[in-house]
Amino acid sequence: MKTFQLSLSENGPQFNIVEQSQPALGAHDVLIDVQAWSLNYRDLAMLGGGYPGNDKIVKDPPLVPLSDCAGVVCAVGSDVTRVVVGDRVSPIFYQDWFDGNLTATNVGSTLGGGVDGVMSEFFSCSEESVVKLPDYLSFEEAATLPCAGVTAWEALSLGDIKPDQTVLLIGTGGVSIFALQLVVAQGAKAIVISSSDEKLAVATSMGASHTINYQATPDWHIEVLGLTKGVGVDHVIEVGGAGTYEKSCIATKLSGRVSLIGVLTGYPEQNPSPYLVMAKRLTLQGIAVGSRERFESLLQVMDEGHIHPVIDRHFGFDQLPMAMQYLSSAQHVGKVVLTK
Ligand SMILES: NC(=O)c1ccc[n+]([C@@H]2O[C@H](COP(=O)([O-])OP(=O)(O)OC[C@H]3O[C@@H](n4cnc5c(N)ncnc54)[C@H](OP(=O)(O)O)[C@@H]3O)[C@@H](O)[C@H]2O)c1
């Protein structure tokens, strides 16, 4: 089977396709014939050495990249009971996080970061570390869910999303577009900010209540306050990091929630003042994707609403470097997918 390996050298990151034999299965393992993969911003971070705790690329190279895929179970170990050959499945992002809280036991099991990922023609894992996919989703669509989809749903679920809420979404990448679909599906309002009027037009067509171009309106947080009659939003899906975090807190209502998710503009250090968080009685909620249980609840909500993930562009398996380059150019809306 063909497998991608990523290593870092003095000349920069290097991708190699290697030929490997299919993994031997343990009694509780399943083998997945992978049909599609998707990219996340996090996969770009691996090219620079990864994140703390997500740095196999540095500690034990090479790394099989990517966390997200979908495929068909093509073989099972002797004691497998959760799935059968022929089931359509996706591996979960944290291979050992099934339900409850993230703990020291399951935190290191992140595909394509803490451990080898899924960018291979076949992928094997424990039967516990997959979810079954609803029939209405194509493999390409399902492959977009394990990281970005689950993250958006984890944040909105912890924020107890309700129809009377207004949620602020930063940009139009994978996490934010999933959040937009899920907010709209719950009957709540979404305000979207983006660098591009064309992308904002897509967000409006998907049901965004208001949009703001943050290039044209650098004080977008003030405009958000204006749009909410000076009150602020209930919840921010904060994927921006250093450059947006303080503005997001200012744009949030008293006793509101900011889900801290991303670092697109770098890691926040000092701002906002802890006093602002205290004075506004904000809940800052750290998000780390989500458990298998959250993934299953996302699939249920998507199935009920017949929600199809937004795929911006397809690439072939061998075109991973080109697909990564496209993702880094940030031209996309939603997700970038690779197919077999
Ligand atoms: N904590 C977690 O569990 C978790 C899970 C998933 C992702 N993340 C993080 O969340 C972030 C987003 O991930 P993703 O996969 O959704 O990324 P992505 O698909 O690559 O989305 C990137 C988009 O973000 C927007 N953006 C870039 N710079 C911005 C800025 N200065 N201000 C506002 N928006 C900006 C751009 O959209 P526009 O052109 O529309 O502005 C860009 O296209 C990343 O930092 C990722 O590491 C964290």
Side-chain angles (χ1 to χ4, degrees):
M1 64 179 191
K2 284 196 288 183
T3 301
F4 262 94
Q5 291 184 337
L6 170 66
S7 48
L8 306 178
S9 73
E10 282 174 6
N11 302 324
Q14 181 157 355
F15 287 108
N16 289 311
I17 299 181
V18 297
E19 194 61 45
Q20 292 182 324
S21 48
Q22 285 184 2
L25 295 188
H28 285 282
D29 290 344
V30 300
L31 185 65
I32 303 168
D33 181 357
V34 183
Q35 303 295 312
W37 302 258
S38 85
L39 296 184
N40 291 284
Y41 185 84
R42 167 183 183 268
D43 301 315
L44 298 174
M46 297 307 149
L47 308 180
Y51 297 124
N54 278 254
D55 51 359
K56 178 180 184 286
I57 182 67
V58 174
K59 291 190 173 142
D60 181 24
L63 174 76
V64 179
L66 306 198
S67 54
D68 292 8
C69 74
V72 185
V73 174
C74 59
V76 295
S78 54
D79 295 343
V80 166
T81 54
R82 281 190 81 239
V83 293
V84 296
V85 169
D87 278 349
R88 304 164 78 248
V89 296
S90 273
I92 56 176
F93 181 89
Y94 283 93
Q95 286 278 281
D96 298 337
W97 186 13
F98 306 128
D99 52 23
N101 281 325
L102 188 62
T103 65
T105 316
N106 51 36
V107 71
S109 59
T110 57
L111 290 174
V115 299
D116 275 332
V118 299
M119 194 56 192
S120 182
E121 290 179 302
F122 293 85
F123 176 75
S124 78
C125 62
S126 162
E127 61 173 326
E128 296 292 342
S129 305
V130 300
V131 294
K132 286 194 212 175
L133 301 169
D135 290 339
Y136 87 95
L137 288 175
S138 68
F139 287 115
E140 287 82 3
E141 291 172 332
T144 65
L145 300 174
C147 179
V150 176
T151 298
W153 185 233
E154 168 87 346
L156 294 171
S157 300
L158 292 171
D160 198 15
I161 179 75
K162 294 217 166 58
D164 62 353
Q165 287 185 358
T166 301
V167 182
L168 173 61
L169 308 174
I170 312 289
T172 57
V175 173
S176 300
I177 289 292
F178 270 121
L180 173 58
Q181 292 181 291
L182 294 164
V183 166
V184 170
Q186 301 301 311
K189 285 197 181 120
I191 300 175
V192 180
I193 69 166
S194 168
S195 62
S196 146
D197 288 343
E198 289 76 27
K199 292 178 175 184
L200 288 174
V202 175
T204 301
S205 73
M206 293 176 60
S209 313
H210 298 284
T211 61
I212 304 169
N213 184 319
Y214 61 77
Q215 308 276 29
T217 310
D219 285 342
W220 47 266
H221 54 304
I222 305 299
E223 190 161 330
V224 171
L225 287 175
L227 289 169
T228 53
K229 301 189 172 72
V231 172
V233 296
D234 296 274
H235 189 172
V236 185
I237 303 301
E238 220 308 292
V239 296
T244 57
Y245 169 49
E246 183 167 24
K247 290 178 179 179
S248 290
C249 289
I250 294 170
T252 305
K253 75 175 191 185
L254 295 175
S255 303
R257 176 179 295 255
V258 179
S259 282
L260 300 177
I261 296 176
V263 289
L264 287 165
T265 64
Y267 287 87
E269 285 175 4
Q270 293 192 339
N271 292 323
S273 152
Y275 181 74
L276 175 65
V277 176
M278 179 181 76
K280 291 187 72 169
R281 195 175 174 269
L282 297 181
T283 298
L284 299 183
Q285 171 71 59
I287 299 294
V289 190
S291 64
R292 184 183 75 195
E293 186 178 46
R294 189 71 78 197
F295 196 163
E296 285 168 342
S297 117
L298 168 69
L299 290 170
Q300 194 179 333
V301 165
M302 290 187 61
D303 201 355
E304 282 162 12
H306 226 66
I307 297 172
H308 287 275
V310 175
I311 297 177
D312 177 278
R313 194 149 155 187
H314 295 78
F315 290 84
F317 177 89
D318 292 352
Q319 293 177 308
L320 176 64
M322 202 191 300
M324 298 277 263
Q325 215 168 10
Y326 179 68
L327 187 78
S328 72
S329 74
Q331 296 170 59
H332 62 287
V333 172
K335 296 295 293 177
V336 176
V337 163
L338 301 128
T339 49
K340 201 166 214 171

